[in-house]
Amino acid sequence: MLKLIFCLLCLSLCVDRSLTCLQCFISSYDSVRLCWGHILIKENIRNVDACMVLLDNIFNFNQTVINAGRVGRGYDQTLTDIMVAQIMPLLEEFDQKTHSETVYKVRLMAAAENFTAHASKVPRASGCFPPCGFQVEGSVYNCRSCQYDSCEYPLDCPVKEVVVGENNRTQMRCDVLFPLPGDIEVVWRYAETETQLLELLKEVTMGADLLYSIPSASPQHAGTYQCEIFTEGRSIVRQYFYLTVIPQTVIGHSELQSLFDQTLVSGGQSPQVTPDLWEGSLLRLPPPSLLTVCLSGLLLLLLFSLGSLFWWSFQRDPIQSKDSRGMQGEKYVFL
């Protein structure tokens, strides 16, 4: 009866202790039973508190043991089985029996080393990949808190800038660095302005496609595109793309300016036209409005030239006729 009361008192001392690596797998009651016969050599007395301090140093505050317990999600039960396999034989051996603190230290350190060796072989977590997303598979087990630590990254990713020329094809892909579950749902949203406010974004598509394509971009396509990935009804990541569409006229002016700058740099000589440059110029023809203005100007120039030539011919004929009559008169007088 006295032994039972003593064990209960010792158990009450352990109840207020914070969770530790050993207590994730071994109950406080079993820890008291394990330390019941701990004898201090110097004083030759039993001291359960000294045994608890020894357990803390060997298991709970041992970084090697803590790192060995940082396994992937779903393997916490495996850690429990490994720890029980090391502690329960000692519990049966030490329960209701006295041993010196030296024996305790040697046997407990051997148990910690065996736990570390076996736990290190348990599959690790895939790890956390910054900068965003709720990464379930990346969480690792923390035996000091007896729970899995999340990656603690925000759900929203930074905005990515996308620039495309008018009439060109563009694609936005909702890529993440961490592995995605098999059953995902992807929602694409759009807003005309640069924003990350959900109330301003309107749903465009819903399905499982991570890729969003625009076959021929126009200024009306500019704005913010958001893709949100769900699994089992829970959002795990939101990515943002801000699309800028450069008008075709601006592209043409930029190319002319670039060609002019290259000519100045080359000392007035025209740069050589490479096949790539030639193909690019064919792909980016000027807009129809600019072609119409250029052709109209050429036609007016041609009409003006023909009119000038006709007027010059008309003025030349009277002069030639006058000269011809004068020559005939002079010939008559001479005869």
Side-chain angles (χ1 to χ4, degrees), residues 1-10 36 46 96:
M1 183 65 180
L2 292 177
K3 291 182 179 180
L4 179 59
I5 295 175
F6 178 75
C7 289
L8 292 175
L9 290 175
C10 292
W36 184 88
R46 282 191 301 167
Q96 302 298 318

Side-chain angles (χ1 to χ4, degrees), residues 138-209:
S139 58
V140 294
Y141 189 76
N142 188 345
C143 68
R144 298 194 65 177
S145 61
C146 302
Q147 61 183 6
Y148 285 90
D149 292 338
S150 65
C151 295
E152 297 182 353
Y153 291 135
L155 196 64
D156 293 322
C157 299
V159 179
K160 296 181 181 179
E161 298 286 341
V162 180
V163 180
V164 64
E166 186 179 1
N167 300 327
N168 288 337
R169 179 185 180 90
T170 184
Q171 293 180 333
M172 290 164 281
R173 187 173 183 86
C174 202
D175 283 328
V176 293
L177 298 177
F178 57 90
L180 292 173
D183 55 338
I184 63 170
E185 183 181 32
V186 183
V187 177
W188 283 91
R189 301 183 180 93
Y190 168 74
E192 295 181 357
T193 59
E194 184 173 4
T195 181
Q196 288 183 270
L197 299 177
L198 292 178
E199 56 268 22
L200 298 181
L201 293 160
K202 298 181 180 180
E203 185 175 312
V204 179
T205 63
M206 177 185 296
D209 197 351

